[in-house]
């Protein structure tokens, strides 16, 4: 079905953009920005934060919509597979932690200023948690494939086929 395919594409593309952006910021942008003076650094951080915030908020929305849709579509295919549901539930909880941290890092609340002050540490945590989600997803895909749904043939059709 087209909507199923689009939902998966949007979900995976969002993961690539947000996880890739976090890795880029942690490993490339932050070390490079540390080489400029404090005023330029703060100005650059403001520009990046204003633009990245849009990606983070839209990405969270897309993850919630497509993740919910994908999971609801998968439920009948994994009926009775408790480990599958436990692992997917763990992925969801980890994703909520990532959403919170990412929102704090692009936010302005004074309550979380200390987290923003140690942005590198929190970006590293986002990258680690993202890698855990990818590992769980890979394990689930390989070791808990969806059960094939059988086609139900009405009784009057089977008598015509014979």
């Amino acid at each position: 079905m087209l909507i199923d395919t689009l939902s998966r594409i949007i979900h995976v593309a969002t993961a690539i953009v947000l996880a890739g952006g976090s890795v880029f910021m942690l490993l490339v942008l932050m070390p490079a920005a540390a080489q400029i003076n404090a005023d330029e650094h703060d100005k650059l951080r403001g520009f990046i934060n204003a633009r990245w915030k849009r990606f983070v908020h839209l990405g969270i929305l897309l993850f919630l919509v497509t993740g919910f849709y994908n999971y609801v579509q998968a439920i009948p295919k994994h009926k009775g597979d408790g480990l599958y549901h436990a692992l997917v539930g763990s992925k969801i909880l980890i994703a909520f932690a990532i959403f919170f941290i990412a929102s704090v890092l692009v936010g302005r609340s004074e309550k979380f200023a200390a987290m923003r002050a140690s942005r590198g540490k929190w970006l590293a945590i986002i990258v680690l948690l993202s890698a855990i989600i990818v590992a769980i997803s890979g394990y689930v895909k390989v070791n808990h494939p969806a059960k094939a749904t059988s086609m139900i043939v009405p009784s009057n059709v089977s008598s015509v086929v014979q």
Side-chain angles (χ1 to χ4, degrees), residues 97-161:
I98 292 171
F99 297 165
F100 172 76
I101 297 167
S103 295
V104 164
L105 293 180
V106 297
R108 293 180 289 185
S109 172
E110 287 303 315
K111 292 181 181 180
F112 299 109
M115 285 179 72
R116 284 190 298 281
S118 55
R119 185 178 310 271
K121 175 179 91 171
W122 291 104
L123 274 172
I125 290 171
I126 286 175
V127 170
L128 175 64
L129 292 175
S130 297
I132 290 170
I133 288 177
V134 169
I136 292 171
S137 297
Y139 177 83
V140 166
K141 187 78 169 171
V142 170
N143 294 307
H144 294 270
K147 296 174 188 165
T149 55
S150 61
M151 188 152 101
I152 299 173
V153 180
S155 59
N156 61 349
V157 174
S158 63
S159 62
V160 172
V161 175

Side-chain angles (χ1 to χ4, degrees), residues 14-38:
T14 302
I16 290 168
V17 169
L18 293 182
S22 296
V23 169
F24 176 78
M25 277 199 265
L26 178 66
L27 301 178
V28 178
L29 191 56
M30 288 181 69
Q35 304 303 312
I36 60 178
N37 71 49

